[in-house]
Amino acid sequence: MGLRTFYIKTTQWEYWPSYLYYLPLFPFFLKKTISAKSLVYFSVTNPAIFLSGNGTESKYQTLQILPEKYTPKSILINKNTELSKVLLQCNEQNIGFPCILKPDIGFRGYMVKKIENEQMIENYLAKFPFDTIIQEYIDYQNEIGIFYHRLPSSMNGKITSITLKKYLKIFGDGESSLETLISKDPRASLYIDLLRNIHHKNLKKIYPIGKEIVLTDIGNHSKGTQFLNGNHLINEKLTALIDEISLQTGGWYYGRMDIKYDNFEDLVDGKHFKIIEVNGIISEPTHIYDASHPEAGFFAAIKAIKNHWLIIDQIAKMNVVKKGAKLPTVKEYIHNLKFLRHYSKELKRINQINLNS
């Protein structure tokens, strides 16, 4: 990491590690668990998702709670599956190239890759010894994160956050190589190691003046995607669409849907979009990371997270009292957290090796 990158990621709150947003809220969390007389009561917020989506849930299984018409074609690949069987399943499901490979349990975009050929699948599976999802590539041009909640006693919910995802792009100047353009761009240069890895075949290529180059079209902040506050787009028609979807899930009451679409009007009309991921209780209202918004800031982000935790508190308690949801034991929950801690370290390590290979 260069000095400039280090300075920016240290001084600009948008890039601060996530634990800094949550440490100040620990007393609040502790107070709520005491009030609920349970350390794990929040784990029944979303009965349709394993432990309500605390990070250990299968992303493949979570997508299955949605109506099929709204999701990409996806295949769960168990670890150590032979390449020939993987390719056969892709052929049976009519998933061609490009496609997306990503961990079945994942976060922050680690090891999410756009795959162009069979060799890339083979290389990926050789490096990643865990269950994986192969997903059809959705070539809609835009991506949005919609944060939604609905009380179990109600047919109608509320959208509390919309995040527009701006993919990292630069433009050719007819003189400079791609690597030079990346190193000169204020935002792209912060992700130069990642982008060198993704575009290693074209780093010396010179693009014509004005040629748009999409550096990454995977909508993760860790891959350079900029999160923009889109809360002005919240409206009754869009909320009704998410209501309709939520009511078909069998118990997804809280979290964020990440959706790819071509234009917002079609999305609101329920057309030409795909839900590529559903998140639960650990998901964030990611509009808080739009540092350009006049109301944004580190303390505003903490406040927004706290307000969303209040929603979790309300839904979870309703599920326990009114629906009789069975809580896991503290021992069971801690066991899952231990697994997540070990798995997270491995995922980060493998992702870093992949970056540098």
Side-chain angles (χ1 to χ4, degrees), residues 83 101 115 117-127:
L83 178 64
L101 262 172
I115 302 298
N117 51 55
E118 292 181 10
Q119 186 63 53
M120 290 181 71
I121 293 181
E122 184 175 13
N123 292 344
Y124 184 105
L125 296 179
K127 295 176 181 177

Side-chain angles (χ1 to χ4, degrees), residues 100 108-109 112-114 116 137 140-143 165-170 178 182 187-188 191-192 194-199 212-227 260:
I100 296 294
R108 295 193 174 274
V112 178
K113 305 290 181 183
K114 185 178 179 181
E116 303 287 352
Y137 178 72
Y140 294 143
Q141 297 302 302
N142 300 303
E143 188 172 335
K165 300 187 178 184
K166 184 180 179 182
Y167 298 138
L168 193 53
K169 301 176 183 178
I170 55 176
L178 177 60
I182 291 172
R187 189 173 184 90
Y191 304 88
I192 193 163
L194 169 70
L195 298 174
R196 280 174 176 155
N197 180 264
I198 294 174
H199 299 281
E212 182 182 83
I213 308 150
V214 180
L215 296 175
T216 173
D217 55 1
I218 295 173
N220 296 101
H221 196 265
S222 64
K223 295 184 181 296
T225 297
Q226 187 175 3
F227 290 171
K260 294 198 77 171

